[in-house]
């Protein structure tokens, strides 16, 4: 047993692994050293503990189970040799954000972290999971975002802009959707998309920010005049914890993505500062 893992923590991690194996029909073999999946390098208990976080203190069992499940699925996908790796932005307070063991950088504005994710099947759809550092080492893949990854993100952002321009005046105007394996929070890391959201289709240089609601990773709205403010928080609470986005709207500028302050007066202060 690792000296930093007490018997209750090790027992909880075992429950998380076994629950994932049953619910998702994963073939796992575990012992005192770690966890093995078919055709994969062994995952150490320390790797799972780092992702789960301070279980029993700051982290509950449901959150630990979600994070451990993400590590197992990402580890298995990376060992298939055909897994796609894409940029991934995760809200800083998201349950699915690993406590450690995921190489990332805090995006300007402080609302999200940007790193790499692994695209894994999810029924008839897909889900992007944080790329575990241990899995990257075991498979020889880069674990950090590269310039090429950022260039790809900009190209995807440009595709979203083109779609928004095409949909202007329709029922889907003002709606952001995933594209190319990147969810909506990740697309907000594209400078091209942020520039469009702030400046608008007329590219007005006087506009400095735009409020965007992304309670779910698969959908976002930037025409908030038609949305009840209470809806954002309600939609966030009602969503699957694994698919939640930002619990409050975010303020998007050309360079930053920041959570809207909880106080209305602070919102006005932010608006005044950026004009």
């Amino acid at each position: 047993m690792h000296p930093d893992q007490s018997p209750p923590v090790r027992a909880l991690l075992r429950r998380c692994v076994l629950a994932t194996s049953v619910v998702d029909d994963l073939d796992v073999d575990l012992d005192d050293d770690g966890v093995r999946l078919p055709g994969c390098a062994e995952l150490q208990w320390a790797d799972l503990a780092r992702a789960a976080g301070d279980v029993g203190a700051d982290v509950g069992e449901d959150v630990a189970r979600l994070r451990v499940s993400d590590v197992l699925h990402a580890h298995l996908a990376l060992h298939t040799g055909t897994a796609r790796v894409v940029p991934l932005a995760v809200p800083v307070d998201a349950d699915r954000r690993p406590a450690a063991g995921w190489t990332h950088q805090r995006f300007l504005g402080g609302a999200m972290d940007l790193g790499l994710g692994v695209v894994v099947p999810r029924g008839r759809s897909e889900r992007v999971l944080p790329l575990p550092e241990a899995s990257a080492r075991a498979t020889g893949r880069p674990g950090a975002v590269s310039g090429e990854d950022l260039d790809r993100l900009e190209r995807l952002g440009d595709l979203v802009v083109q779609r928004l321009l095409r949909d202007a005046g329709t029922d889907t105007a003002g709606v952001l959707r995933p594209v190319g394996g990147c969810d909506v929070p990740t697309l907000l890391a594209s400078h091209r998309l942020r520039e469009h959201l702030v400046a608008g289709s007329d590219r007005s240089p006087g506009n400095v920010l735009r409020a965007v609601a992304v309670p779910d990773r698969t959908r976002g709205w930037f025409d908030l005049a038609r949305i009840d403010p209470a809806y954002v928080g309600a939609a966030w609470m009602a969503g699957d914890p694994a698919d939640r986005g930002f619990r409050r709207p975010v303020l998007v500028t050309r360079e930053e993505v920041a959570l809207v302050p909880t106080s209305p007066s602070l919102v006005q202060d932010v608006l005044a500062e950026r004009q």
Side-chain angles (χ1 to χ4, degrees):
M1 178 182 299
H2 192 278
D4 293 336
Q5 295 168 22
S6 64
V9 169
R10 176 62 66 86
L12 185 145
L13 291 174
R14 284 178 175 271
R15 290 199 301 273
C16 291
V17 171
L18 293 173
T20 300
S21 71
V22 172
V23 173
D24 299 331
D25 194 25
L26 289 184
D27 184 9
V28 299
D29 180 21
L30 59 165
D31 56 25
D32 287 342
D33 294 325
V35 178
R36 287 172 294 280
L37 296 162
C40 300
E42 183 177 77
L43 273 172
Q44 301 295 316
W45 287 111
D47 296 322
L48 296 177
R50 293 179 68 211
D54 194 358
V55 179
D58 299 327
V59 177
E61 185 164 343
D62 289 343
V63 174
R65 186 181 302 118
L66 171 61
R67 293 174 177 175
V68 167
S69 175
D70 281 357
V71 172
L72 294 175
H73 282 285
H75 191 69
L76 181 61
L78 279 176
H79 280 78
T80 64
T82 59
R84 286 186 293 145
V85 175
V86 298
L88 173 65
V90 181
V92 295
D93 60 352
D95 287 347
R96 63 188 297 269
R97 177 188 177 280
W102 176 51
T103 302
H104 63 271
Q105 57 190 16
R106 182 62 49 89
F107 197 80
L108 287 176
M112 60 188 187
D113 292 328
L114 179 64
L116 290 178
V118 185
V119 182
V120 301
R122 182 194 180 196
R124 296 182 179 179
S125 61
E126 297 175 327
R127 172 173 286 172
V128 184
L129 307 177
L131 190 158
E133 292 174 352
S135 305
R137 290 194 303 270
T139 57
R141 289 177 177 265
V145 175
S146 66
E148 183 178 349
D149 296 318
L150 296 178
D151 289 343
R152 180 173 184 271
L153 183 56
E154 290 303 321
R155 292 195 296 272
L156 292 177
D158 194 59
L159 287 176
V160 176
V161 170
Q162 294 176 30
R163 184 166 65 186
L164 293 175
L165 292 173
R166 181 196 64 201
D167 294 345
T170 69
D171 291 340
T172 58
V175 180
L176 299 172
R177 295 185 180 86
V179 63
C182 290
D183 59 23
V184 177
T186 303
L187 291 171
L188 290 179
S190 163
H191 184 275
R192 178 72 178 90
L193 177 56
R194 294 195 309 276
E195 173 71 24
H196 175 79
L197 293 176
V198 172
S201 57
D202 60 352
R203 305 192 62 79
S204 171
N207 296 339
V208 294
L209 58 77
R210 174 72 71 108
V212 182
V214 191
D216 186 278
R217 296 170 53 221
T218 64
R219 191 70 59 89
W221 296 267
F222 58 89
D223 185 5
L224 300 191
R226 296 184 294 178
I227 296 179
D228 187 329
Y231 170 79
V232 179
W236 184 88
M237 286 292 296
D240 184 336
D243 289 327
R244 284 173 178 166
F246 300 104
R247 67 174 68 217
R248 304 197 304 273
V250 291
L251 294 176
V252 175
T253 72
R254 288 172 171 82
E255 303 299 335
E256 300 180 359
V257 178
L259 282 171
V260 168
T262 55
S263 168
S265 62
L266 287 178
V267 174
Q268 296 301 319
D269 292 343
V270 171
L271 291 171
E273 289 176 1
R274 297 185 182 276
Q275 290 178 343

